[in-house]
Every structure is written in structure tokens, then in C-alpha cells.
Amino acid sequence: MSATSADFAPSPDGGRAGEGGSATPLLRVEALTKRYGPRIGCADVSFDLWPGEVLGIVGESGSGKTTLLNCVSGHLDPDEGRVLYDTRASGVQDVRLMSEPERRMLMRTDWAFVHQNARDGLRMTVSAGANVGERLMGVGARHYGRIRGQALDWLGKVEIAAERIDDRPAAFSGGMQQRLQIARNLVTGPRLVFMDEPTGGLDVSVQARLLDLIRGLVRELGLSAVIVTHDLAVVRLLADRLMVMKGGHVVETGLTDQVLDDPQHAYTQLLVSSVLQV
Amino acid sequence: MIDVENVTKTFTLHNQGGAVIPVMQGASLRVAPGECVALTGASGAGKSTLMRMVYGNYLAASGAIRVGGLDVATAEPREILALRRRTLGYVSQFLRVVPRVPTLEVVMEPCLATGMDRAAAEERARGLLARLRIPERLWSLSPLTFSGGEQQRVNIARGFAHEYPALLLDEPTASLDPANRETVLEMIAEAKAGGAAILGIFHDAEARARVCDREIDVGAFAAAA
């Protein structure tokens, strides 16, 4: 925990944390509530996320899962509740009480957000290499050669050919754009990644490749992640733990395979039994 | 090592009028290190249900299930995950893997998860795949394209990759040819000799007789309907 927030080298921590070694959660969400006028976005949601752990949030459209993700990740301001994060520089902090520059720095370095639509997470008018390099420059990198080198390295990690570095993402397929978005996000060595339907709208063959990639990166880099999806197959493969939401409330939580194989709540049972078998 | 005490299991089907189906009560058993215990009983008696509860895959309604000192029935998800990583292995009947991941990686994964370095994990995985007669030319392919028997052997290789002190085996010798069945029985005997506590379901009576020290009839735990 000696690294400063400006330290953007990818974390060398290859081991799966959450091994019971750390005594405090990386992220603690307490009684988070967001209302849209009289309507509930999400209500009284609490959870802990431990280092190296992947939490899946499932539920149908309108269940509040994306609202929750946006509130936790600082994209929406919740009406009530706390978001506590164990920062590298100064320990546990309430993210909502941090100053704006501090929070921005956190979101640019130690956190990452992978949008469902890659266009929301990429700059479509600059090259692939610049998309990756920009986040590095945002945290102070200035040496062009080194930035380009790191960008190339990350393009390789997400299986984008080096010769595409100067192409604009608009010329990429949907799956490539999504992989580029992941590279752009992970280049600063974040410890916590938020993902909103990361495989939504992609062909199944492309989905499989992306899932494999995300799983490998999560393990190699020891990342913690919160993944929102309506796809139960995705969470079964990626998430350690599951939260099921309905009408803004968490109706069930537990070990992913336990929730899917022995669901306790009526809504989860309906959700699981509604999946089409291939 | 595995200590099941007075466990009850019910299923509540909320979408079928809230029907409550009691399936098990008063289930108790113990498996010591170095011992292999077989669960027996008619199909539907609850053998797999009991095994899944020990793994934390099904929730027990009441009772205690201690594995290596952790009560799986009440433990936090992350404690169960740590238990599964280090202590408790499970060879299910069906292989469930990420598409596209090569067989060798699939078998290495449990070792990598414990922090073993890649080279050692790969050596271990290669040894197991060779021993279970999976042709080397298939190791770089996803096991999802394999035959049922090959998938079963990949699943066994994966389950034995890390030497778990407690191991759950669901029909490990089903759909295997005689030579591979023999190999799997040897591997079970070696795990026992290494001190593993094993709880298994074996329909193959001869296999059961060879590796199991005791049998427990799950029918005795049937819930009074």
C-alpha cells in the first residue's frame, strides 16, 4: 500500500487476493439509496467487496442495477448512504466526501469503468494508441516513446494487432472496440473495475473471447470488479459472488453457484428457471 | 475432516404455489483424513444434494457442515471460496468451463489459484493429462469439443490437480473405459494414502468396494413427508 495514486504502473500483484490475507474490504457500500423523484432507483443497498473479488449484480431491466453501479462508481450522486474505499494513499475514505480533484484522480487511476457501449468509454476521433495513452497522460506520463510502448503492450494483451495502433476505433468491430475500452481502462493499473453489461450486444463467439480475456486479466492483475449484467451465464463464469436486484432492492445475495443452483427468493427462482437451454 | 451434523434440507418452490419439499433431515456423517466414504441410496434419495451442501453449492436449512474447521452452512461466501481454493475439491459429473480456454489451462487453473507458479502447474497438468490418456495433440484445444468420456477425464485431472485435503467425487468412474477406470481408482487410492478425506458417489459397485472404507445409506436421512 505504499504506492501513491499517481503510480500508474500495472500492479505486479499477481496472486488472487481475497485469500483471507487482508483484513479490510477494498470497497464498502452502506445503505445506498437513489430516488428519481417519487420513484426508487435503488434502495438501502449495502455490500462489501474484498480485494481480488468479483461481484456480479443481476436483475431485469429497471431493477436498479445500473443506477447502483453509477452511484457506487461516482457517476451519479446517491441521496443517502456511504461509499467507503480503501485508497492507496490515505486509507479508507468516504468517496462522496472527497474533494472533486481527489475523486477525479481516483476515477482516473485506481478505478476503471467499462461501459456497455464502447463508444461511451472511448474517444472515437483519436487513434487506438491515443485512446490508451490518454489515460496515462492524465496521470502525468509525458514521455511519448514510453507511452506508445505501454499502449502497444496493452493492445497486445487485449489481442489487438500492433499495426492497428494508429487506426481510429470507429474502424474497429464491436468486439475490438470493447477490448480497446478495456485496455484504455486497465493501462493505469486500477485495483477496482466497474463493468456495465460488458458483453452486451456482442456476438456469442466474441462474447466468449471477451469473457476469457476479462477472467484472465482479473486473475493475473488481482483486480476486484463489480459487473452488472442480465446474463446469468456471464456471471456464472466471472463472478465469485452474486447480488440479485428487483425493484431497486437487493432480494438475494450469496456465492454465485449457490444462488444460481439453489435460489431462495421467488424472483431469483423465476429468473433462473426462465433461462433458455441451448 | 468432513463433519456433517444433523443437517436438514428443504426446497421451497415459490413459483409453484410456494410448495415446500422437505428432502432431508437428521443427516450426519464424518469422514476422517485418509478415509473414503461412499454415499449410497436409490436415485433421488439425496446423494448429490448432500454432496452439494458439503460443497456450499446448496444451502442447508439447518445443521452444521464442518470442513477443515469451517462451517460451510453458515460461512461467508469468501470463506467458502478460500476453502474451495485450498482445502475442498469437487469432481462433478459435468465439466463447466469458459469456451475457448485450452484443456491444459483448464487443468492448471486450480494450481494457479493456489499461487503455484506457472511452470510447476503446467508440469503437474501435463502429468495428469498424460496419465488419463488424453492425447497431447488435444491439450491446446478447448475440452468443450471433446467426447463425453474425454471431458470426464479432463474434469478428473482438474479435480486432482491440487492435492485437496478433502475431496468430493460424483461418479468419477462413470463413462470410463476399463484402463482409465483403473487409473482413476489408483488416483483415488493415492489421494487417500496422502491423507485426503474423500466422500463419493459410486454406482459402480466393484469400484466402490475397492476404494471405499465405509458406506452410508442416504435413504436413512429421508425427510418424513
Side-chain angles (χ1 to χ4, degrees), chain A residues 232-243:
Chain A
L232 299 181
V234 167
V235 286
R236 189 186 280 275
L237 293 177
L238 289 181
D240 299 313
R241 209 150 51 84
L242 211 55
M243 246 167 52

Side-chain angles (χ1 to χ4, degrees), chain A residues 18-19 50 53 159 208-209 212 215 219 236 240-241 255 257-258 261-262 264-266 269-270, chain B residues 9 11-15 56-59 77-78 80-81 84-86 96 98-101 109 112:
Chain A
E19 194 75 43
W50 297 81
E53 191 177 47
E159 304 171 25
R209 188 171 180 194
D212 177 22
R215 228 170 96 106
R219 194 180 61 207
R236 189 186 280 275
D240 299 313
R241 209 150 51 84
L255 207 57
D257 59 284
Q258 182 263 301
D261 294 339
D262 188 15
Q264 306 294 306
H265 190 275
Q269 291 186 356
L270 182 66
Chain B
K9 176 65 188 166
F11 288 109
T12 306
L13 307 177
H14 292 287
N15 299 304
N57 178 237
Y58 280 5
L59 281 182
R78 67 189 204 101
I80 296 179
L81 288 170
R84 290 178 179 182
R85 209 173 292 140
R86 300 247 167 233
R96 201 188 307 254
V98 186
R100 233 177 62 108
V101 177
E109 200 182 7
L112 295 176

Side-chain angles (χ1 to χ4, degrees), chain B residues 57-69:
Chain B
N57 178 237
Y58 280 5
L59 281 182
S62 67
I65 301 171
R66 277 179 291 269
V67 181

Side-chain angles (χ1 to χ4, degrees), chain A residues 99-113:
Chain A
S99 70
E100 189 55 34
E102 278 178 321
R103 190 162 55 213
R104 273 225 208 129
M105 195 56 171
L106 181 70
M107 289 169 72
R108 268 202 307 230
T109 56
D110 221 18
W111 287 10
F113 196 104

Side-chain angles (χ1 to χ4, degrees), chain A residues 40-259:
Chain A
I40 288 173
C42 62
D44 196 25
V45 178
S46 300
F47 65 87
D48 285 345
L49 184 72
W50 297 81
E53 191 177 47
V54 178
L55 173 70
I57 303 177
V58 296
E60 63 199 359
S61 304
S63 61
K65 55 193 196 300
T66 298
T67 293
L68 173 63
L69 188 75
N70 285 332
C71 285
V72 174
S73 63
H75 287 87
L76 260 182
D77 193 30
D79 295 309
E80 287 157 40
R82 299 204 298 169
V83 178
L84 302 171
Y85 182 71
D86 188 4
T87 64
R88 293 188 199 230
S90 38
V92 178
Q93 298 228 24
D94 185 340
V95 176
R96 292 181 64 202
L97 302 179
M98 288 166 84
S99 70
E100 189 55 34
E102 278 178 321
R103 190 162 55 213
R104 273 225 208 129
M105 195 56 171
L106 181 70
M107 289 169 72
R108 268 202 307 230
T109 56
D110 221 18
W111 287 10
F113 196 104
V114 176
H115 295 265
Q116 171 173 12
N117 190 339
R119 288 164 182 272
D120 296 334
L122 292 173
R123 293 226 289 143
M124 300 304 285
T125 53
V126 303
S127 71
N131 262 286
V132 179
E134 186 184 50
R135 226 176 106 108
L136 283 175
M137 292 175 69
V139 294
R142 287 293 174 267
H143 188 286
Y144 177 78
R146 223 172 290 151
I147 292 172
R148 193 174 167 90
Q150 281 211 42
L152 265 178
D153 186 39
W154 267 96
L155 290 181
K157 280 194 183 125
V158 298
E159 304 171 25
I160 293 175
E163 72 218 36
R164 304 297 300 267
I165 188 170
D166 295 318
D167 291 353
R168 290 181 185 179
F172 287 0
S173 67
M176 277 174 78
Q177 287 181 359
Q178 200 55 293
R179 281 180 275 134
L180 179 62
Q181 192 192 181
I182 289 173
R184 173 180 163 97
N185 270 283
L186 297 188
V187 70
T188 54
R191 291 185 298 160
L192 175 57
V193 183
F194 299 100
M195 298 192 195
D196 188 7
E197 302 275 8
T199 58
L202 299 175
D203 277 342
V204 276
S205 61
V206 178
Q207 272 191 23
R209 188 171 180 194
L210 195 67
L211 284 175
D212 177 22
L213 177 77
I214 294 173
R215 228 170 96 106
L217 290 171
V218 163
R219 194 180 61 207
E220 276 162 38
L221 305 175
L223 300 175
S224 303
V226 180
I227 299 179
V228 161
T229 179
H230 64 270
D231 190 334
L232 299 181
V234 167
V235 286
R236 189 186 280 275
L237 293 177
L238 289 181
D240 299 313
R241 209 150 51 84
L242 211 55
M243 246 167 52
V244 183
M245 292 189 71
K246 179 176 167 47
H249 294 268
V250 174
V251 296
E252 182 162 359
T253 104
L255 207 57
T256 299
D257 59 284
Q258 182 263 301
V259 172

